[in-house]
């Protein structure tokens, strides 16, 4: 009896510790996802595919599921020593494992493809959307200011934009005002290296998105290994609890 009790107590304590670590990982995923939405999301409007958005929302959903699963099934299952809750806990851990592994894999695959996507589409987006799409215009202006760049390839792209090609508009700029080293209304009238940025934004945006995708991929793939240990601990505890409950029933009728 003492030996069975000790083994059961070991698995209970291990699962308590694991639940705490898993809860921290859930908050970490949720935090990274929300940070991506708040701090990094404006440039996503310049991408033509929805992979980056999908990765971000998958992280947030996975983090929220982890927190709910730990609170409802993990902690309650261990506290009440309820095998049904622990079985649900193990099943949800498998789902979380698949979500995290899928998110990490998607981020890794997209990281290798995003360079080509930006090279192929950024110039077209800038030339056609600036001053015609409010959200993309704000993203382009933020891109210029943050990375101190102008246009996709260089500031010389802008005369071919729909915005400047419209001869009926009273615009004398050679580029958006956000390209200026010191920004002010109408500052981009003069194309001089002391006035506007000459370098294009393609490489800066490529590096920015790729670096962030590496972080998202590492978080997803790195944390998914936790679920394997949780599944093992939960299944072992269920097995021990079943034996313990059976032992108590047989001892009662003796």
């Amino acid at each position: 009896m003492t030996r069975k009790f000790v083994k059961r107590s070991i698995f209970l304590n291990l699962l308590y510790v694991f639940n705490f670590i898993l809860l921290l990982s859930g908050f970490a995923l949720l935090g990274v996802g929300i940070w991506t939405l708040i701090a990094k999301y404006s440039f996503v409007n310049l991408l033509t595919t929805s992979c980056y958005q999908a990765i971000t929302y998958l992280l947030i959903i996975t983090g929220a599921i982890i927190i709910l699963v730990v609170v409802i099934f993990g902690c309650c299952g261990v506290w009440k020593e309820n095998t049904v809750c622990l079985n649900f806990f193990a099943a949800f851990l498998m789902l979380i494992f698949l979500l995290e592994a899928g998110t990490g894999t998607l981020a890794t695959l997209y990281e290798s493809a995003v360079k080509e996507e930006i090279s192929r589409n950024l110039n077209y987006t800038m030339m056609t959307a600036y001053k015609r799409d409010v959200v993309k215009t704000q993203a382009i202006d933020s891109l210029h200011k943050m990375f101190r760049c102008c246009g996709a390839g260089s500031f010389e792209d802008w005369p071919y934009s729909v915005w400047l090609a419209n001869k009926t508009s009273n615009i004398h700029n050679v580029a958006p005002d956000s390209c200026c080293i010191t920004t002010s209304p109408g500052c981009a009238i003069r194309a001089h290296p002391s006035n506007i940025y000459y370098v294009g934004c393609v490489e800066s945006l490529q590096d920015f998105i790729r670096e962030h995708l590496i972080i998202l991929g590492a978080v997803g793939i790195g944390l998914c290994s936790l679920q394997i240990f949780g599944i093992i601990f939960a299944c072992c505890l269920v097995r021990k609890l079943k034996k313990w409950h059976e032992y108590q029933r047989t001892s009662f009728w003796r």
Side-chain angles (χ1 to χ4, degrees):
M1 176 180 175
T2 304
R3 189 177 176 185
K4 290 179 182 291
F5 179 78
V6 170
K7 285 185 177 180
R8 170 175 146 274
S9 298
I10 290 172
F11 280 108
L12 282 170
N13 290 328
L14 282 174
L15 209 50
Y16 270 125
V17 173
F18 174 79
N19 280 337
F20 177 72
I21 296 171
L22 188 61
L23 192 63
L24 292 180
S25 75
F27 282 114
L29 285 173
L30 200 60
V32 170
I34 293 172
W35 169 65
T36 301
L37 281 179
I38 295 173
K40 313 292 179 182
Y41 205 70
S42 61
F43 300 142
V44 175
N45 296 304
L46 302 177
L47 301 176
T48 55
T49 64
S50 58
C51 285
Y52 194 88
Q53 295 97 313
I55 293 166
T56 303
Y57 285 115
L58 273 174
L59 278 180
I60 294 173
I61 291 168
T62 304
I65 290 174
I66 288 174
I67 294 168
L68 290 174
V69 166
V70 169
V71 171
I72 296 174
F73 295 107
C75 293
C76 291
V78 176
W79 180 42
K80 295 290 187 180
E81 298 185 20
N82 188 303
T83 56
V84 175
C85 281
L86 290 172
N87 281 326
F88 274 111
F89 181 62
F92 274 113
L93 286 182
M94 179 59 71
L95 174 63
I96 292 166
F97 170 82
L98 294 174
L99 283 172
E100 287 178 339
T103 303
T105 304
L106 182 60
T108 303
L109 293 174
Y110 186 52
E111 184 266 327
S112 61
V114 72
K115 182 176 181 180
E116 182 183 350
E117 178 190 336
I118 293 173
S119 298
R120 187 175 61 247
N121 298 313
L122 182 61
N123 185 62
Y124 177 80
T125 301
M126 286 182 164
M127 296 301 100
T128 57
Y130 194 74
K131 294 299 184 183
R132 295 164 65 88
D133 184 307
V134 174
V135 174
K136 290 183 179 179
T137 298
Q138 290 174 347
I140 291 167
D141 286 335
S142 298
L143 184 67
H144 288 159
K145 293 173 183 178
M146 180 172 179
F147 296 112
R148 299 180 179 182
C149 58
C150 186
S154 74
F155 78 98
E156 294 178 333
D157 295 338
W158 283 106
Y160 303 100
S161 66
V162 175
W163 168 55
L164 289 182
N166 183 8
K167 302 299 183 181
T168 59
S169 60
N170 187 24
I171 301 171
H172 304 290
N173 285 32
V174 296
D177 291 333
S178 55
C179 288
C180 293
I181 295 172
T182 303
T183 306
S184 62
C187 63
I189 294 175
R190 188 168 59 96
H192 191 273
S194 64
N195 186 47
I196 64 175
Y197 300 114
Y198 271 33
V199 66
C201 300
V202 167
E203 290 187 5
S204 297
L205 184 60
Q206 285 173 347
D207 293 341
F208 177 83
I209 297 293
R210 288 181 67 189
E211 286 172 7
H212 199 59
L213 284 170
I214 289 171
I215 294 172
L216 298 179
V219 169
I221 294 174
L223 291 180
C224 74
S225 58
L226 275 176
Q227 321 316 323
I228 298 173
F229 294 103
I231 293 168
I232 294 171
F233 290 150
C235 291
C236 289
L237 182 58
V238 167
R239 187 165 169 267
K240 294 295 178 184
L241 286 175
K242 284 181 178 178
K243 287 185 177 181
W244 175 254
H245 293 157
E246 185 180 347
Y247 174 81
Q248 285 184 316
R249 283 196 298 270
T250 55
S251 298
F252 178 79
W253 290 107
R254 284 179 183 176

